[in-house]
Amino acid sequence: MAEILFPALFLLLALGIPVAFAMAISVFAAISLASSYPHLVVVKEMFSGLDSFPLLAVPFFILASEIMTGGAVTLAILRLAQSFVGHMRGGLGHANVISSAMFAGISGSALADAAGPGTMMIRMMEKGGYDRPYAGALTIASAVVGPIIPPSITMIIYAMQDQEVSVGSLFMAGVLPGLLITAMVLIANARISRRRNYASGAPMPPLAEIARIALYALPALFLVILIVGGIRFGIFTPTEASVIAVFYALFVGMFVYRSLRLADLPGIVLRAALTSGAVLLILGAARAFAWVLIIESVPQFLAETIIAWELSPIVFLLTVNVLLLGFGLFMDPLPGVMILVPILAPISFALGIDPNHFAVIVIVNLTLGLTTPPVGSLIFVVSSTVSLKPSTLVREMPPFFLALGAALLLITFVPALSTWLPRISGF
């Protein structure tokens, strides 16, 4: 079946079929043409992939994100980021990057980062004298931290595929790599701003003003502390944390920022339901796709082949980087995690690689695929919001590809970036 499964998948993706439907159709084609299994088994496997208590965290975190991304919360984060760095050369670009890192602790999604504060920052940067294509490319690069800084939907899905890690340990493992990626994109923005003379005319606000802005933004930023701290100290499970996040978001939106009305809730719930449905459809299709691979013994074959090569851990990780970067050109992170992690994670564990370290490498690699054509979702989200051709944005991306690539290499060669916080936190 595998000889039909993969060609069918790549053909459907090349034709522009959505990932979930491409995977499901390719599975049906493989079963129809090369097996005696009934088609009902595909539906069964899709439902089995969704029949999971930890998976309930995904729609609740999406709902909390929708509630928290109202105008007042987003503006509070943008104002805080701008108060820190807005007076520097390239300050609006720096504010874009820092606000994405802050917003990552609320949304857990790269696409939400780009479509929310990223869109607002693009408009602000254009008014401040930045080229619109550059502002869009910077937003694409800075949004990469969305699934890496906790809470992260991708990390929840990863923990379901690898029994050697937990959601809590992955949340802690993503903090330093996320900050590293933020720092590398800041450096790239500083160099480009100096070369293009993107100056800032805004003076540095007084410390009292910065403190007032920070205090106003604190309730929004406290969400990540509540989630990670509660999981770390065993107060609640990740699934329970997602429900608590929803109630906390409702409280903050209604009673702290007072930007959320009861009349807004039906629209918010509808948007969260549509997003959750799309995510869960991808996960169900990926489960059926992975089932075919298991039936065909593809994971076992690849594992035996790679182990027979007797690669050192570093060479294996570099090989995995190349594989995942190539895979990310055509596949979104969530199906990538469900298909590849059951194959690669046991091999990495057998080679003595820390499971949290390997998990972060996989997630960063697959997330970088969102920034690269031909399927890069971040490119198309930003291009639609700023009315630019995707090719125009891609031409501005090479400096950021270098910055993100350097961050990936540091994460690969310095395991402590991913293992130190989980270790001292008791994970």
Side-chain angles (χ1 to χ4, degrees), residues 180 184 368 400-413:
L180 172 65
M184 298 302 290
L368 290 182
F400 300 116
F401 287 147
L402 290 176
L404 295 171
L408 175 60
L409 289 177
L410 285 172
I411 292 168
T412 301
F413 287 109

Side-chain angles (χ1 to χ4, degrees), residues 168-194:
S169 69
L170 288 184
F171 279 4
M172 298 304 297
V175 173
L176 292 182
L179 295 177
L180 172 65
I181 291 172
T182 300
M184 298 302 290
V185 177
L186 284 172
I187 292 171
N189 176 65
R191 292 175 61 87
I192 296 171
S193 297
R194 189 178 302 112

Side-chain angles (χ1 to χ4, degrees), residues 387-409:
S387 302
L388 286 173
K389 293 181 179 179
S391 58
T392 304
L393 293 171
V394 172
R395 282 196 291 269
E396 292 279 358
M397 286 298 297
F400 300 116
F401 287 147
L402 290 176
L404 295 171
L408 175 60
L409 289 177

